[in-house]
């Protein structure tokens, strides 16, 4: 159980996972994008530089034009390029036009150019091109400009075809700026080339020169040998605002120069003029309106064939455009510097000739070196910081550059930073610039501190690896879909879920709830419950297993602001669900059980509280668990005991428990002895009366004999005690009265008998006299009967009283002898017609109370004779004796009058006689019963009226 994470933990951890997966991809993408952009820009600048180096050294115009189209393709990675001039030059790269197409294409491009402003880079798209019908172009960059120095319009076009279009996403905006720079470079170089071509072609023939001078858009001044103006061309008039007439005969310096014209330029000019040398110098001149403008002033002295100096020709080259270009370059460079600073790219350059090395700000930061004003040997600083372990490799690469083997080194090496002595990892690029002879002129390079990137790359790689393994092996299903819900990625578990449940898919996409409703309708999903936004519990019906519950969470994947697709995570929560159900059931059962226990507890507490006894329960540590109300009412101290340990109280001597301290000791000792302790205790009640309390301390042990708890009870037995004392005294009294009564009865009987016996004797004497008449004899007979009867009664009373007064006296005797003597006596009485039958041994010795047994037998046998039937001849009394174990069984059966069923229960009562005809006292059977009881025997009767009776006597006999 403890190894299974809880439902909430699982939910949390897979959400974290989900979040991280999303975060990773976007952070990583950003990183890559930035790096790519910077890398790309660097590459472009480098290519641009290569182009201008190569183009400058190009001497022929055609060679230059070819270079231009090649470079458009190389630098901007376009598929094709076109360069043309309005003079008729037409160069293509990457796309071959048929002869007949060329003319059409030229016209199209010229038409096309009218739709765009000259001197700016323009993005053109398929719709622009289609309008003009340019063949099979999709998109491209277009530039047209007027080269004032040559008077020509240049058209540059880089393009890609329809087929390749998707590969060139956003290439236009990325290349736009640099394309403009490129075009301006083309123009500048083109201008220079034209000039040099012109000079070389025409040497310096004055005639042609003047012709050109008239046509040229540069200002031209021709002055005499002393410097006074003879002629200016139209361009001069236009740019300065002066007419030829106004300036003729004047010296240019007197009206063209002004405040901003630099003294250096002035000096340079005057020296050259004096020495009659050619000079080219930038100069700030002023128009007629006083507006300064910058020109490149080129002055050539002209000599005639004799070598005499005749005049000067000055050419005012308008460099405003060039300056604009330069400032643009500067602006771009500044931007580039900003970018490199911002992106932490260190840039350095080293002039081989002067040995001068330059570092940008970032380099100082990377190497931890302070920037200083004075010139410093950065090359050596760089060398001294290289990590010793990497020095060899870096050195080898450097040598390869110096020896001319390579022009570019791309390397990674470590340095030890100067100030912090940290080891940093640099990514470094070194590019060699060589002159036409292949001599190394300059080294430029970049260094980037990639320590953090490296480690984050490693971390990224490690965590990517980690997550890939997790994703492949986890119990979570994972699926990633694009916006059209095509699966981009899914792990094995997801496929398992799908195939197990025989469904098409479990993709939830943009609208999870709608997707689920559809799946329920198609019976692919049994049911679902929404847990949170985009989190669902879904019930599946797998082919084999029991139902499966999945937790599905879906979230969008974004890159920047763009929605790319959705990722869903599937967690099998079937075990958790069933666990949850079991738990709920168990909880329910437990609550029911607790309720039962509670009601039982309440019941017992009720019982215990309402019992008149005092009851307390202790646990095995002698802690008081319960004290009933009754006890607390009687002894306030017990009210404070609940929850307390008696052992502690016994040790702490807390005075508030003094009154019950004795009991506490007793409880503790019962606990240690683990046996019942019972004792009486005297206690004064609330009104001060002394009461007797019977205490029971009952330890309760479990089967293993360990004490579990202990119950102390107390019952007030004061009243019981009083009753007992009372009873005992009454008993004593009663005993005394009884024995006195017995004595009295005995003495009365004795005293009564002797006069009776005297009467009887006198009556016998009277009967012996013969002189009695019939009547008198009759009366006397009646008197005798009464006397005999009274005597019988007295004898019986005596018997009774003897039985009550005397203890049992054990004798050993022969039972048969007693029976014979009883029957013998009876045989000689008047009713001798009854026959005696015997079923008994000759002799039967037994140990019992002989006197009592004689009385019993006389009564039972006597009754059988007495209540015999007079109306039959075969009356009998049968006596049966047998031994059964230690008991004597004696049956007396007769065929006499019998006893009615309803009277059978009463014959053993005192003074009861079943028939009024009986001559008896009604005491005989009562005494028999008393005696049999005293002897621990039993006596019972079976009888049928008019048929006879059987009396059975069973006695313990000790034979
Ligand atoms: P009694 O002195 O009247 O015989 P007992 O206590 O001995 O008193 O007997 C009670 C009554 O039980 C008798 O009055 C008689 O009616 C009845 N009885 C006792 N023994 C017998 C017997 N063997 N057969 C019929 N009746 C008997």
């Amino acid at each position: 159980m403890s190894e299974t994470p809880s439902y909430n933990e699982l939910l949390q951890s897979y959400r974290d996972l989900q979040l991280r997966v999303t975060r990773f991809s976007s952070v990583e993408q950003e990183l890559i994008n930035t790096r790519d952009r910077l890398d790309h820009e660097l590459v472009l600048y480098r290519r641009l530089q290569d182009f201008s180096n190569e183009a400058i050294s190009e001497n022929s115009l055609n060679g230059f034009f070819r270079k231009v189209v090649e470079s458009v393709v190389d630098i901007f990675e376009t598929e094709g390029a076109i360069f043309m001039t309005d003079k008729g030059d037409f160069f293509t790269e990457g796309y071959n036009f048929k002869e007949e197409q060329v003319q059409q294409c030229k016209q199209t491009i010229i038409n096309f150019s009218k739709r765009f402003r000259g001197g700016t880079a323009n993005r053109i798209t398929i719709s622009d091109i289609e309008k003009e019908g340019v063949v099979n172009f999709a998109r491209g960059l277009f530039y047209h400009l007027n080269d004032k120095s040559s008077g020509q319009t240049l058209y540059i076009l880089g393009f890609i075809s329809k087929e390749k279009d998707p590969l060139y996403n956003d290439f236009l905006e990325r290349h736009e700026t640099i394309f403009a720079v490129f075009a301006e470079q083309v123009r500048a170089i083109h201008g220079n080339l034209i000039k040099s071509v012109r000079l070389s072609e025409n040497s310096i023939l004055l005639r042609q020169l003047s012709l050109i001078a008239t046509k040229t858009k540069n200002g031209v001044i021709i002055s005499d040998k002393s410097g006074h103006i003879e002629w200016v061309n139209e361009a001069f008039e236009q740019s300065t605002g002066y007419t030829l007439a106004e300036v003729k005969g004047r010296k240019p310096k007197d009206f063209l120069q002004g405040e901003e014209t630099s003294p250096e330029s002035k000096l340079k000019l005057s020296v050259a003029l004096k020495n009659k040398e050619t000079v080219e110098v930038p100069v700030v001149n002023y128009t007629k309106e006083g507006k300064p403008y910058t020109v490149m002033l080129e002055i050539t002295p002209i000599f005639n064939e004799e070598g005499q100096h005749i005049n000067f020709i000055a050419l005012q080259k308008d460099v405003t455009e060039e300056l604009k270009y330069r400032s643009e370059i500067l602006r771009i460079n500044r931007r580039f510097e900003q970018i490199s600073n911002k992106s932490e790219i260190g840039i350095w350059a080293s002039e081989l000739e002067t040995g001068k090395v330059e570092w940008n700000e970032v380099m100082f930061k990377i190497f931890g070196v302070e920037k200083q004003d004075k010139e410093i040997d950065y090359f050596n600083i760089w060398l001294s910081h290289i990590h010793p372990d990497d020095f060899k490799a870096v050195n080898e690469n450097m040598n390869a550059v110096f020896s001319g083997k390579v022009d570019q080194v791309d390397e990674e090496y470590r340095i030890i930073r100067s100030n912090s002595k940290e080891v940093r990892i640099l990514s470094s690029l070194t590019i060699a610039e060589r002159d036409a002879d292949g001599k190394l002129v300059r080294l430029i390079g970049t260094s980037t501190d990639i320590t953090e990137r490296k480690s984050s790359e490693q971390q990224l790689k490690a965590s990517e690896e980690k997550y890939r393994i997790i994703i492949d092996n986890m119990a979570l299903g994972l699926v990633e879909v694009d916006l059209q819900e095509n699966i981009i990625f899914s792990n094995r578990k997801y496929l398992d879920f799908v195939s197990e449940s025989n469904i098409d898919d479990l993709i939830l996409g943009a609208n999870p709830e709608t997707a689920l409703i559809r799946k329920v309708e198609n019976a692919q999903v049994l049911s679902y419950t929404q847990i949170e936004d985009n989190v669902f519990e879904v019930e599946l019906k797998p082919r084999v297993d029991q139902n499966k519950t999945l937790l599905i969470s879906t979230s969008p994947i974004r890159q920047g602001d763009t929605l790319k697709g959705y990722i869903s995570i599937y967690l099998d929560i079937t075990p958790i669900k069933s666990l949850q159900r079991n738990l709920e059931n168990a909880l329910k059962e437990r609550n029911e059980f607790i309720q039962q226990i509670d009601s039982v507890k309440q019941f017992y507490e009720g019982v215990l509280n309402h019992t008149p006894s005092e009851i307390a329960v202790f646990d095995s540590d002698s802690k008081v668990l319960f004290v009933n109300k009754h006890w607390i009412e009687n002894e306030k101290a017990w009210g404070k005991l609940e929850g307390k340990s008696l052992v502690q109280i016994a040790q702490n001597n807390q005075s508030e428990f003094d009154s019950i301290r004795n009991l506490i000791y007793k409880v503790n000792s019962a606990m240690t002895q683990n046996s019942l302790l019972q004792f009486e205790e005297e206690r004064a009640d609330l009104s001060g009366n002394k009461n007797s309390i019977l205490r029971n301390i009952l330890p309760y042990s479990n089967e293993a004999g360990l004490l579990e708890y202990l119950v102390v009870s107390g019952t007030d037995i004061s009243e019981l005690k009083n009753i007992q004392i009372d009873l005992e005294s009454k008993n004593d009294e009663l005993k005394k009265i009884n024995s006195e009564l017995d004595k009295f009865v005995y003495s009365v009987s004795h005293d009564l008998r002797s006069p009776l016996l005297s009467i009887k004797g006198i009556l016998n004497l009277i009967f012996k006299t013969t002189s009695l008449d019939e009547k008198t004899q009759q009366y006397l007979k009646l008197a005798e009967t009464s006397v005999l009867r009274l005597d019988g009664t007295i004898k019986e009373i005596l018997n009774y009283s003897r039985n009550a007064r005397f203890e049992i006296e054990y004798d050993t005797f022969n039972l048969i002898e007693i029976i014979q003597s009883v029957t013998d006596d009876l045989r000689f009485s008047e009713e001798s017609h009854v026959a005696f039958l015997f079923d008994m041994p000759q002799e039967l010795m037994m140990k019992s109370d002989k006197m009592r047994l004689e009385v019993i037998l006389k009564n039972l046998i006597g009754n059988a004779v007495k209540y015999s039937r007079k109306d039959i001849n075969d009356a009998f009394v049968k006596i049966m004796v047998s031994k059964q174990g230690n008991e004597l069984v004696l049956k007396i059966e007769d065929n006499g009058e019998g006893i009615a069923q309803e009277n059978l229960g009463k014959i053993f009562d005192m003074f009861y006689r079943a028939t009024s005809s009986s001559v008896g006292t009604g005491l005989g059977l009562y005494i028999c019963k008393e005696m049999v009881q005293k002897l621990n025997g039993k006596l019972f009767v079976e009888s049928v009226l008019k048929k006879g009776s059987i009396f059975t006597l069973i006695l313990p006999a000790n034979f």
Side-chain angles (χ1 to χ4, degrees):
M1 266 287 303
S2 63
E3 280 164 25
T4 314
S6 78
Y7 175 91
N8 281 336
E9 276 167 358
L10 267 175
L11 191 68
Q12 190 51 46
S13 63
Y14 100 87
R15 271 198 202 127
D16 287 351
L17 190 66
Q18 193 181 14
L19 209 68
R20 296 187 79 160
V21 169
T22 326
R23 223 180 275 151
F24 273 144
S25 53
S26 68
V27 168
E28 193 191 9
Q29 196 51 49
E30 241 169 72
L31 217 75
I32 291 169
N33 289 346
T34 317
R35 194 191 56 202
D36 285 356
R37 207 181 54 243
L38 289 172
D39 283 357
H40 189 74
E41 281 194 39
L42 250 183
V43 169
L44 288 185
Y45 275 101
R46 216 177 291 132
R47 288 178 189 161
L48 209 61
Q49 215 154 30
D50 288 348
F51 163 74
S52 67
N53 282 339
E54 285 171 31
I56 283 167
S57 52
E58 188 61 58
N59 290 322
S60 79
L61 268 175
N62 283 358
F64 171 65
F65 293 155
R66 178 115 301 281
K67 187 102 243 151
V68 170
V69 278
E70 279 170 11
S71 298
V72 171
V73 171
D74 285 350
I75 297 176
F76 303 106
E77 294 158 333
T78 59
E79 209 187 338
I82 296 173
F83 174 82
M84 63 177 244
T85 65
D86 51 3
K87 208 181 94 194
D89 303 296
F90 187 77
F91 286 81
T92 61
E93 176 77 13
Y95 196 93
N96 281 327
F97 291 95
K98 286 179 202 140
E99 203 44 54
E100 63 267 25
Q101 285 180 307
V102 171
Q103 209 41 53
Q104 186 202 341
C105 190
K106 276 183 185 172
Q107 197 48 55
T108 311
I109 289 174
I110 289 167
N111 291 343
F112 194 49
S113 69
K114 291 181 183 139
R115 299 177 41 205
F116 301 102
R117 200 154 65 86
T120 53
N122 294 291
R123 288 184 232 166
I124 52 177
T125 58
I126 191 148
S127 60
D128 302 326
I129 297 163
E130 268 169 357
K131 262 183 215 155
E132 300 299 334
V134 182
V135 216
N136 196 26
F137 295 166
R139 291 182 304 147
L141 288 164
F142 179 70
Y143 205 100
H144 71 101
L145 56 87
N146 194 275
D147 178 14
K148 281 184 186 157
S149 62
S150 65
Q152 281 177 28
T153 306
L154 312 182
Y155 303 89
I156 310 169
L157 179 68
F159 60 86
I160 46 162
S161 64
K162 278 179 191 166
E163 296 84 68
K164 299 267 174 85
D165 193 27
L167 285 177
Y168 286 87
N169 268 340
D170 70 342
F171 106 105
L172 297 178
E173 69 245 58
R174 278 167 58 191
H175 291 161
E176 196 180 347
T177 318
I178 297 171
F179 191 71
V181 176
F182 171 78
E184 291 298 337
Q185 267 184 356
V186 170
R187 191 249 300 265
I189 297 165
H190 178 255
N192 280 337
L193 259 176
I194 293 280
K195 190 181 82 184
S196 67
V197 168
R198 217 159 41 202
L199 281 176
S200 67
E201 273 172 2
N202 299 310
S203 85
I204 39 167
L205 282 170
L206 190 57
R207 198 173 294 272
Q208 280 156 327
L209 194 67
S210 62
L211 190 72
I212 296 159
T214 315
K215 296 256 177 191
T216 184
K217 290 186 175 163
N218 289 328
V220 177
I221 309 164
I222 299 177
S223 47
D224 64 16
K225 59 182 176 188
S226 56
H228 294 101
I229 294 174
E230 291 179 340
W231 182 78
V232 292
N233 70 350
E234 262 174 56
F236 177 89
E237 287 178 323
Q238 272 169 21
S239 59
T240 59
Y242 292 108
T243 61
L244 175 62
E246 279 174 318
V247 296
K248 204 166 179 176
R250 294 174 75 183
K251 280 190 170 182
K253 65 170 187 182
D254 294 340
F255 62 92
L256 286 176
Q257 295 180 351
E259 239 174 71
E260 284 181 38
T261 317
S262 76
E264 291 94 25
S265 312
K266 285 185 189 168
L267 187 67
K268 225 173 160 184
L269 275 174
S270 67
V271 169
L273 290 177
K274 214 165 152 194
N275 297 341
K276 307 195 171 32
E277 285 165 354
T278 304
V279 68
E280 185 171 298
V281 90
V283 164
V284 176
N285 280 347
Y286 288 82
T287 63
K288 196 178 170 187
E289 287 170 357
K291 211 170 113 194
Y293 64 97
T294 310
V295 287
M296 183 60 84
L297 193 60
E298 194 188 304
I299 303 177
T300 316
I302 309 291
F303 300 92
N304 63 12
E305 264 143 39
E306 286 81 45
Q308 287 171 323
H309 176 234
I310 41 173
N311 52 14
F312 294 95
I313 296 176
L315 193 66
Q316 271 201 144
K317 258 194 306 179
D318 183 358
V319 290
T320 321
E321 285 289 309
E322 257 173 42
L323 281 177
K324 216 173 94 195
Y325 156 65
R326 208 169 287 153
S327 83
E328 176 73 356
I329 289 278
L330 271 176
R331 188 177 67 78
I332 292 169
N333 275 347
R334 266 202 304 278
R335 189 173 149 232
F336 182 58
E337 184 74 5
Q338 267 173 5
I339 292 172
S340 57
N341 277 343
K342 228 174 171 180
S343 59
E344 309 273 279
I345 299 175
I347 299 176
W348 56 270
S350 165
E351 298 288 340
L352 268 287
E353 203 178 320
T354 57
K356 202 178 150 198
V357 179
E358 274 181 304
W359 277 14
N360 76 344
E361 299 283 340
V362 183
M363 286 293 281
F364 292 99
K365 225 164 85 188
I366 292 177
F367 283 82
V369 175
E370 286 276 336
K371 190 174 181 177
Q372 293 191 4
D373 288 337
K374 57 177 184 184
E375 289 222 344
I376 287 184
D377 185 356
Y378 289 119
F379 183 73
N380 274 323
I381 290 185
W382 171 65
L383 278 181
S384 66
H385 281 82
I386 296 171
H387 195 283
D389 294 348
D390 291 347
F391 192 83
K392 201 171 151 229
V394 174
N395 204 32
E396 272 170 18
N397 286 337
M398 256 312 148
N399 285 338
V401 174
F402 280 120
S403 67
K405 254 191 245 163
V406 293
D407 279 340
Q408 189 170 318
V409 177
D410 210 339
E411 59 192 341
E412 254 178 39
Y413 57 88
R414 286 165 293 170
I415 59 157
I416 299 171
R417 187 174 275 177
S418 196
N419 47 11
S420 60
K421 301 297 168 213
E422 281 173 89
V423 174
R424 311 293 299 180
I425 306 168
L426 300 193
S427 163
S428 175
L429 179 75
T430 307
I431 296 167
E433 276 183 38
R434 298 177 202 280
D435 63 14
D437 307 329
K439 201 184 125 207
L440 191 60
V441 180
R442 191 184 298 133
L443 285 173
I444 53 168
T446 60
S447 292
T448 318
D449 187 334
I450 54 163
T451 318
E452 275 77 23
R453 195 171 87 195
K454 259 285 206 257
S455 77
S456 69
E457 258 173 20
Q458 275 161 5
Q459 273 173 19
L460 202 71
K461 231 173 124 184
S463 51
E464 243 181 36
E465 182 76 1
K466 195 172 91 192
Y467 281 102
R468 191 160 305 127
I469 292 169
I470 291 171
I471 287 168
D472 279 346
N473 293 300
M474 65 191 176
L476 290 173
L478 199 100
V479 85
E480 195 181 323
V481 295
D482 65 12
L483 292 174
Q484 282 73 43
E485 300 195 354
N486 302 313
I487 294 183
I488 307 289
F489 169 81
S490 68
N491 74 346
R492 192 147 27 107
K493 199 71 196 166
Y494 167 76
L495 297 176
D496 287 351
F497 286 145
V498 168
S499 68
E500 269 168 27
S501 309
N502 206 14
I503 50 179
D504 299 341
D505 66 71
L506 255 177
I507 293 168
L508 298 191
N511 239 322
E513 181 127 38
T514 325
L516 280 169
I517 291 172
R518 206 171 49 238
K519 283 177 197 308
V520 172
E521 279 167 3
N522 297 343
Q524 297 210 317
V525 158
L526 287 181
S527 66
Y528 74 90
T529 324
Q530 176 152 24
I531 306 289
E532 284 174 27
D533 284 358
N534 296 329
V535 181
F536 297 88
E537 231 179 70
V538 175
E539 192 92 359
L540 297 178
K541 175 100 192 126
R543 276 171 292 185
V544 261
D545 273 340
Q546 86 219 64
N547 286 6
K548 191 163 262 194
T549 314
L550 296 188
L551 195 67
I552 308 184
S553 159
T554 295
S555 61
I557 313 168
R558 286 176 205 284
Q559 233 170 53
D561 285 339
T562 332
L563 182 66
K564 293 281 179 186
Y566 300 94
I567 190 162
S568 301
I569 290 175
Y570 306 77
L571 177 64
D572 183 358
I573 54 163
T574 319
I576 295 171
K577 271 269 147 184
S578 77
L579 211 72
Q580 198 183 348
R581 271 195 292 273
N582 289 348
L583 211 70
E584 274 164 11
N585 287 342
L587 248 156
K588 220 172 96 187
E589 268 171 36
R590 201 191 72 155
N591 283 342
E592 281 167 7
F593 185 65
I594 286 174
Q595 265 176 10
Q596 276 174 17
I597 295 267
D598 256 11
S599 67
V600 170
K601 195 177 154 214
Q602 271 171 17
F603 171 76
Y604 281 110
E605 271 183 15
V607 169
L608 289 175
N609 277 330
H610 288 98
T611 170
S613 296
E614 296 168 348
I615 294 174
V617 183
F618 301 80
D619 71 7
S620 56
D621 294 328
S622 88
K623 204 167 89 186
V624 182
L625 298 178
F626 172 79
V627 180
N628 77 344
K629 229 157 61 184
H630 195 64
W631 201 334
I632 296 170
E633 278 165 11
N634 289 339
E635 277 181 281
K636 292 277 176 299
W638 280 88
K640 297 177 186 163
L641 274 186
E642 248 175 1
K644 290 205 168 71
S645 162
L646 288 192
V647 175
Q648 278 169 12
I649 290 171
Q651 282 165 358
N652 290 353
N653 265 333
Q654 286 165 271
S655 58
E656 51 185 322
F657 297 113
D658 277 350
S659 62
I660 56 170
R661 197 161 297 284
N662 186 37
L663 185 57
I664 287 172
Y665 287 124
K666 283 236 159 71
V667 169
N668 281 339
S669 82
M671 209 165 260
T672 35
Q673 287 160 20
N674 200 4
S675 66
L676 173 71
L677 197 72
Q678 192 174 54
F679 58 95
E680 273 183 44
E681 187 184 57
E682 280 222 328
R683 184 179 69 189
D685 67 12
L686 298 175
S687 39
N689 301 321
K690 287 240 156 126
N691 288 331
S692 287
I693 313 289
L694 179 68
R695 291 270 178 231
N696 271 310
I697 304 181
L698 177 70
Y700 178 83
S701 302
N702 60 15
E703 283 169 3
L706 286 173
L707 181 68
E708 275 199 345
Y709 54 87
L710 186 135
V711 179
V712 182
S713 65
T715 315
D716 189 339
I717 50 164
S718 316
E719 228 163 278
L720 217 64
K721 274 206 120 170
N722 292 339
I723 292 171
Q724 197 184 337
I725 292 165
D726 215 36
L727 214 67
E728 273 168 8
S729 77
K730 279 196 175 131
N731 208 26
D732 285 348
E733 217 171 296
L734 217 63
K735 268 186 190 160
K736 220 172 105 195
I737 293 170
N738 239 4
S739 81
E740 273 168 11
L741 193 72
D742 279 349
K743 273 185 204 152
F744 170 75
V745 169
Y746 190 71
S747 66
V748 167
S749 313
H750 258 282
D751 291 353
L752 281 177
R753 253 202 105 188
S754 15
L756 267 183
L757 287 176
S758 307
I759 295 169
K760 203 181 150 194
I762 292 165
L763 281 172
N764 273 334
L765 283 176
I766 294 170
F767 282 129
K768 281 182 181 145
T769 55
T770 47
S771 56
L772 291 178
D773 58 34
E774 190 85 351
K775 204 104 186 171
T776 313
Q777 228 173 25
Q778 248 181 7
Y779 290 140
L780 283 176
K781 216 49 181 172
L782 279 175
E784 190 191 27
T785 309
S786 294
V787 169
L788 282 177
R789 198 164 171 176
L790 187 62
D791 185 41
T793 305
I794 291 172
K795 270 203 279 191
E796 299 278 32
I797 290 174
L798 274 174
N799 274 338
Y800 167 80
S801 133
R802 254 192 230 117
N803 181 44
R805 288 176 55 209
F806 299 120
E807 289 304 307
I808 300 167
E809 264 180 59
Y810 285 103
D811 273 330
T812 305
F813 52 86
N814 185 357
L815 174 72
I816 308 303
E817 271 179 15
I818 298 173
I819 292 170
Q820 274 165 354
S821 106
V822 172
T823 51
D824 282 352
D825 282 352
L826 286 167
R827 217 184 313 255
F828 298 113
S829 74
E830 296 111 279
E831 272 119 340
S832 49
H833 66 284
V834 179
F836 286 103
L837 307 172
F838 299 99
D839 179 4
M840 58 186 188
Q842 289 283 319
E843 187 189 72
L844 198 144
M845 297 302 290
M846 61 182 286
K847 199 176 174 194
S848 188
D849 189 321
K850 195 179 167 191
M851 181 276 287
R852 286 194 169 80
L853 194 57
E854 254 174 6
V855 173
I856 294 167
L857 286 175
K858 265 187 193 164
N859 263 303
L860 291 179
I861 300 170
N863 279 350
V865 172
K866 209 186 327 177
Y867 302 108
S868 61
R869 279 170 63 174
K870 313 293 181 295
D871 52 339
I872 52 169
N873 300 321
D874 60 343
F876 69 84
V877 173
K878 187 175 176 187
I879 299 164
M880 292 162 282
V881 177
S882 63
K883 286 199 233 175
Q884 280 186 10
N886 248 353
E887 285 175 335
L888 168 77
V889 179
L890 205 153
K891 282 182 190 276
I892 297 150
E893 185 185 336
D894 62 59
N895 55 352
E897 288 175 4
I899 307 157
Q901 200 63 30
E902 64 268 25
N903 297 329
L904 267 181
K906 304 173 199 161
I907 55 170
F908 295 102
D909 292 349
M910 202 185 240
F911 299 119
Y912 179 80
R913 286 177 298 176
T915 48
S916 54
S917 67
S918 157
V919 289
T921 59
L923 272 173
L925 282 179
Y926 170 72
I927 292 165
C928 279
K929 189 191 79 186
E930 291 286 303
M931 284 182 168
V932 169
Q933 245 169 28
K934 197 138 192 170
L935 291 174
N936 280 331
K938 282 173 237 165
L939 175 63
F940 43 89
V941 61
E942 304 151 80
S943 184
V944 180
L945 199 63
K946 298 287 174 207
K947 285 272 159 57
S949 315
I950 303 172
F951 283 83
T952 304
L953 171 71
I954 298 172
L955 275 184
N958 296 319
F959 302 110

